Amino acid sequence: MRTLDKERFYKSLEGRRVALCGIGRSHMPLAELFQRHGAKVSARDKRSFSQLGENGEKLRALGVELILGEHYLDSLTEDVIFRTPGMPWHLPQLAEARKRGGVVTSEMEVFFQLCPCKIFAVTGSDGKTTTTTILAEFLRAQGKNVHLGGNIGKPLLPEIETVGPEDAAVVELSSFQLISMRQSPDVAVVTNLAPNHLDVHKDMAEYVDAKKNIFLHQNAFSRTVLNLDNDITAGFAPEVRGGLWGFSRRERPCQGVWCDGKSIYAQGEKLLDVSEIKLPGWHNVENYMAAIAAAWGEVDPENMRRVARSFGGVEHRMEFVRELNGVRYFNDSIASSPSRTISGTLACCGQNLVLLCGGYDKHIPYEPLGPAICAKVKALVLMGATGPKIEAAVRASENYREGAPVILHAQNMEEAVALAQKAAGPGDVVSLSPASASFDRYPNFEARGRHFKELVNKL
């Protein structure tokens, strides 16, 4: 499946002009790497030099040409153009660059072409980070040297020189990364799909088609793992090129992993009881099922059981923050869509929940969130652009009754935390699970979660 070797790739960079469009964590390490191999690197970003802060200083010290400001994508004439994952593939400036003969690619696309070891990749609307992390933990428990990265927060191309053929690469991929990829991993996992990122994708069809690239370019010796309980992902089955594995809580798949409500079975063999999994919630049972299907045959069952019993979870995913005056506080900032809030906080908590919700509007439907909130939430604290949409979905729900839940409004996170503390009593749970992106006030969901935890720990 690989089409390049490292030496040929680096040789191809000598004397060529390379543009890094978007200055962030995936591109900063590439500037030094490419310059070291003889490329003439420019870095482009909408922000000003002062807004770039330390990154701007580092690039300037390297001698990288900086093209900044509102028109940073004008005259995109470099030979090779790397777009940051969040940059839409269909931008007119990128289309014009391709027409002029420029190569438009990404850090992850090149990593896939150069990687000498087996690649495991995970995508989906919800659960992909936890599934990716569990899969990495499985392989580490088996003794593999694991390179974990991608959308999970770490670029892998800068460390390509340390990747050996017997290692394993475990990669989380977003729709933004997948939309232009024409190479698929050895093992592809799709956790589930629901409307998401419709503020960037032109429609749901484009979003779904982008996700399909995780398996469409596989060969007969690859494996695809699909959620058979999700209508969209189950519908991918006829297009799978390699071995098809499924996971389900409804029925035993022909090949794969299933759960009867008490135990998890892989290929007809009982692997572990649900009660053995340290992470709470049925969504995490499904995350384990997906990872088991991906790793089966590579990882011994006992190592899988050991990870399930010990792994405590990933930050910002139903992360316990503290207990104060009998109230438990959780950080579920990863929940940037209604489906994630439903499968996360609302699935894990009882009917004594104070929910902090709302944020940046990705133009996805909020109607399904209404009944789920009415069934579990005693007080709903709303903020951000999606606050009115969430309130409308709650009030339109058939199970809504005036005052159940109590609906409160906050201008910012500080006010939201104060209102939640006032609304909660002993035995209650307060959870930040926004069902919305963070970009109205924070650069990412991690910053949002950290701010929430800081405020809660100051109470």
Side-chain angles (χ1 to χ4, degrees), residues 80-118:
V80 183
I81 298 157
F82 281 77
R83 67 177 184 92
T84 193
M87 179 175 287
W89 169 250
H90 298 297
L91 277 180
Q93 295 95 326
L94 295 181
E96 186 61 32
R98 289 191 288 269
K99 186 187 294 185
R100 284 196 294 263
V103 174
V104 179
T105 187
S106 69
E107 175 265 334
M108 189 52 63
E109 288 176 71
V110 176
F111 175 78
F112 264 56
Q113 291 179 305
L114 298 177
C115 182
C117 70
K118 193 167 187 175

Side-chain angles (χ1 to χ4, degrees), residues 1-13 16 34 80 82 103-117 119 157 160-161 163 182-183:
M1 292 175 68
R2 316 293 181 245
T3 58
L4 286 177
D5 61 63
K6 286 173 276 194
E7 290 71 24
R8 282 174 55 209
F9 171 68
Y10 291 137
K11 188 73 176 174
S12 74
L13 291 178
R16 300 184 80 184
F34 292 166
V80 183
F82 281 77
V103 174
V104 179
T105 187
S106 69
E107 175 265 334
M108 189 52 63
E109 288 176 71
V110 176
F111 175 78
F112 264 56
Q113 291 179 305
L114 298 177
C115 182
C117 70
I119 300 177
L157 182 57
I160 190 66
E161 294 175 20
V163 180
R182 296 298 177 263
Q183 197 157 359

Side-chain angles (χ1 to χ4, degrees), residues 162-212:
T162 69
V163 180
E166 299 304 314
D167 296 350
V170 182
V171 183
E172 178 188 327
L173 296 175
S174 69
S175 59
F176 306 140
Q177 290 166 310
L178 283 166
I179 193 169
S180 59
M181 291 190 75
R182 296 298 177 263
Q183 197 157 359
S184 296
D186 301 283
V187 178
V189 180
V190 189
T191 59
N192 51 64
L193 283 179
N196 206 350
H197 300 302
L198 299 186
D199 58 323
V200 176
H201 290 290
K202 60 186 179 183
D203 52 31
M204 183 64 179
E206 182 184 274
Y207 174 64
V208 171
D209 286 344
K211 294 290 192 181
K212 285 184 182 180

Side-chain angles (χ1 to χ4, degrees), residues 246-317:
F247 66 95
S248 174
R249 288 170 51 200
R250 297 176 185 168
E251 57 184 338
R252 187 194 300 263
C254 296
Q255 182 167 247
V257 180
W258 77 292
C259 177
D260 64 2
K262 293 183 179 179
S263 302
I264 293 176
Y265 299 81
Q267 294 294 80
E269 172 186 329
K270 181 179 174 180
L271 181 62
L272 77 162
D273 291 329
V274 170
S275 60
E276 296 180 73
I277 297 175
K278 186 175 181 179
L279 292 180
W282 282 106
H283 62 300
N284 281 317
V285 172
E286 293 176 357
N287 294 336
Y288 264 96
M289 292 165 68
I292 290 164
W296 193 257
E298 294 272 348
V299 178
D300 295 338
E302 184 51 42
N303 285 330
M304 293 183 179
R305 284 189 283 268
R306 188 151 49 86
V307 170
R309 292 165 185 157
S310 61
F311 177 58
V314 184
E315 188 182 18
H316 309 298
R317 292 150 182 85

